[in-house]
Amino acid sequence: MTVKAYGAQAADRPLESLDIARRQPGAHDVQIDIAYCGVCHSDLHQVRSEWAGTLYPCVPGHEIVGRVSAVGAHVSGFKEGDLVGVGCIVDSCQHCSECEAGLENYCDNMVGTYNGPTQDPPGHTLGGYSQQIVVHERYVLRIRHPEADLAAVAPLLCAGITTYSPLRHWKVGPGHKVGVVGIGGLGHMGIKLAHAMGAHVVAFTTSESKRTDALALGADEVVVSRNPDEMAAHAKSLDFILNTVAAPHDLDAFFTLLKRDGTMTLVGAPATPHPSPEVFNLIMKRRSLAGSLIGGIPETQEMLDFCAEHGVVADIEMIRADQINDAYERMLKGDVKYRFVIDSASLAA
Ligand code: NAP
Ligand code: ZN
């Protein structure tokens, strides 16, 4: 079947309207009419080939929500009409130790929702900036939020799970002082989730204009990281830092804020490396530097259910598909509060 999509034909070309093919649902497939798709900074990195290896045409989008419009003969978990989501993963080997542990995100053969290998035309996966997607039921998530929240649920499928997973892995909760660095799509979810988990949250931003917003998002304190006095006030006091910044920056400024045995986990994935940290800032207080990649399918469902229970959704600005190139430029300037979401109905125009 041919559907409308938005994507780029080359790294230096803007995104434009495209016709793409979707497979007929196989026995274990769920066909989803996409209602909304969030716009992740990874979409921008990838469509411009900033991480190298992008295949074209590239149709980004891995924060997908919509309604099931058909299911294959052997699908047991979903039926036509169900509200569902698809995140960053549409396939994996299904039998390695990572897949068996529900950590498909760490499977060596994980297939991303776009730019991953597939037998479907054109030979690589095409993402959620499109009217429809067909996905194996193992990688489809159930949405339990009220339908009115659907557009604001979309960003949970990447920004939500990418921040939820490390907060859970490092056991963030009451009694912890947690820093969230960068208040963008991921960072604003990190603040909301760490707050919902009961932590004392300190938001770090380069943008003075986000100071008041950060408190409304659930931060207990806000630090403008360009201000050395504000930074120094938190020296050696944080248990955990979640760093979501999309550009290279001085990590030492944040290590020195960790307590003994504190960890800073990087989820931001800049196209060029951070300056190497000063090793004494790690060894003197037995601090750790870590990384984390999205989350597995069971944990993504757990995150969606946690968010439904706690009334957590993203703060969004809805756009039409033909506004995506401007939206990318605004995202690069940090001018988004706090996630663009494409209204898929605009693709038909
Ligand atoms: P975003 O909405 O653009 O937010 C990034 C934030 O980082 C900005 O809002 C800004 O916050 C801060 N920032 C940007 N440039 C900066 C600079 N030069 N110096 C200091 N701070 C800067 O992006 P996002 O969608 O949240 O994604 C963030 C990063 O995570 C991207 O690199 C993305 O590819 C990556 N990512 C990783 C995973 C994973 O699994 N690990 C998953 C999804 C995304 P302030 O204005 O508050 O300073
Ligand atoms: Zn993403």
Side-chain angles (χ1 to χ4, degrees), residues 39-43 62-63 88 114 157-159 162 186 294 339:
V39 177
C40 179
H41 205 115
S42 301
D43 301 352
H62 56 206
E63 294 185 338
C88 305
Y114 56 87
L157 275 303
C158 175
T162 302
L186 266 56
I294 46 173
R339 198 59 140 183

Side-chain angles (χ1 to χ4, degrees), residues 140-277:
V140 178
L141 288 311
R142 186 167 296 285
I143 291 171
R144 299 192 164 88
H145 286 78
E147 188 171 355
D149 287 344
L150 194 58
V153 169
L156 303 183
L157 275 303
C158 175
I161 184 60
T162 302
T163 50
Y164 182 91
S165 184
L167 291 170
R168 282 291 191 228
H169 183 77
W170 277 276
K171 299 184 170 45
V172 160
H176 290 137
K177 186 173 168 186
V178 171
V180 177
V181 185
I183 312 179
L186 266 56
H188 97 290
M189 287 310 310
I191 294 171
K192 288 184 185 219
L193 290 168
H195 173 76
M197 290 173 190
H200 179 96
V201 183
V202 185
F204 293 89
T205 180
T206 57
S207 309
E208 180 68 46
S209 63
K210 295 180 185 172
R211 204 187 269 278
T212 319
D213 284 7
L215 297 172
L217 291 168
D220 297 281
E221 300 177 70
V222 188
V223 172
V224 174
S225 53
R226 298 186 198 281
N227 182 330
D229 292 339
E230 281 187 57
M231 292 288 277
H234 292 275
K236 299 179 204 161
S237 71
L238 290 154
D239 296 281
F240 181 72
I241 298 177
L242 184 64
N243 188 327
T244 75
V245 174
H249 61 281
D250 173 22
L251 300 179
D252 287 308
F254 296 101
F255 281 130
T256 52
L257 306 187
L258 287 170
K259 277 181 181 168
R260 170 176 51 79
D261 291 331
T263 296
M264 174 155 70
T265 296
L266 306 181
V267 290
T272 51
H274 297 293
S276 183

Side-chain angles (χ1 to χ4, degrees), residues 19-341:
D19 289 326
I20 61 165
R22 292 298 191 194
R23 66 175 183 260
Q24 289 299 319
H28 293 282
D29 281 340
V30 177
Q31 176 183 290
I32 300 159
D33 288 350
I34 299 175
Y36 304 101
C37 184
V39 177
C40 179
H41 205 115
S42 301
D43 301 352
L44 187 159
H45 288 308
Q46 196 123 40
V47 81
R48 297 185 177 178
S49 204
E50 291 179 358
W51 294 335
T54 301
L55 302 166
Y56 295 91
C58 176
V59 174
H62 56 206
E63 294 185 338
I64 298 167
V65 293
R67 213 174 261 291
V68 175
S69 49
V71 293
H74 293 154
V75 170
S76 52
F78 299 96
K79 61 179 189 323
E80 210 178 314
D82 286 352
L83 281 185
V84 293
V86 176
C88 305
I89 309 172
V90 291
D91 208 354
S92 63
C93 83
Q94 305 190 12
H95 52 71
C96 70
S97 58
E98 309 291 14
C99 286
E100 278 174 7
L103 295 169
E104 300 88 348
N105 47 321
Y106 297 115
C107 169
D108 289 339
N109 293 305
M110 188 257 278
V111 176
T113 303
Y114 56 87
N115 206 49
T118 175
Q119 296 189 342
D120 297 351
H124 59 271
T125 51
L126 302 172
Y129 299 2
S130 58
Q131 291 176 308
Q132 205 178 69
I133 193 165
V134 178
V135 179
H136 188 290
E137 68 169 326
R138 178 183 173 131
Y139 307 94
V140 178
L141 288 311
R142 186 167 296 285
I143 291 171
R144 299 192 164 88
H145 286 78
E147 188 171 355
D149 287 344
L150 194 58
V153 169
L156 303 183
L157 275 303
C158 175
I161 184 60
T162 302
T163 50
Y164 182 91
S165 184
L167 291 170
R168 282 291 191 228
H169 183 77
W170 277 276
K171 299 184 170 45
V172 160
H176 290 137
K177 186 173 168 186
V178 171
V180 177
V181 185
I183 312 179
L186 266 56
H188 97 290
M189 287 310 310
I191 294 171
K192 288 184 185 219
L193 290 168
H195 173 76
M197 290 173 190
H200 179 96
V201 183
V202 185
F204 293 89
T205 180
T206 57
S207 309
E208 180 68 46
S209 63
K210 295 180 185 172
R211 204 187 269 278
T212 319
D213 284 7
L215 297 172
L217 291 168
D220 297 281
E221 300 177 70
V222 188
V223 172
V224 174
S225 53
R226 298 186 198 281
N227 182 330
D229 292 339
E230 281 187 57
M231 292 288 277
H234 292 275
K236 299 179 204 161
S237 71
L238 290 154
D239 296 281
F240 181 72
I241 298 177
L242 184 64
N243 188 327
T244 75
V245 174
H249 61 281
D250 173 22
L251 300 179
D252 287 308
F254 296 101
F255 281 130
T256 52
L257 306 187
L258 287 170
K259 277 181 181 168
R260 170 176 51 79
D261 291 331
T263 296
M264 174 155 70
T265 296
L266 306 181
V267 290
T272 51
H274 297 293
S276 183
E278 169 52 68
V279 72
F280 282 95
N281 283 332
L282 295 173
I283 64 180
M284 294 307 283
K285 289 277 175 199
R286 202 163 55 188
R287 295 167 174 134
S288 300
L289 171 61
S292 184
L293 175 70
I294 46 173
I297 298 298
E299 194 174 44
T300 305
Q301 188 63 63
E302 177 191 307
M303 175 278 307
L304 283 168
D305 295 347
F306 175 91
C307 288
E309 191 185 322
H310 289 82
V312 174
V313 292
D315 286 21
I316 63 163
E317 179 178 336
M318 191 92 79
I319 60 167
R320 296 188 314 270
D322 63 9
Q323 294 175 299
I324 188 67
N325 295 299
D326 289 339
Y328 281 176
E329 293 310 313
R330 285 184 51 197
M331 185 157 65
L332 283 171
K333 288 188 263 175
D335 175 24
V336 47
K337 292 191 168 178
Y338 278 89
R339 198 59 140 183
F340 292 117
V341 172

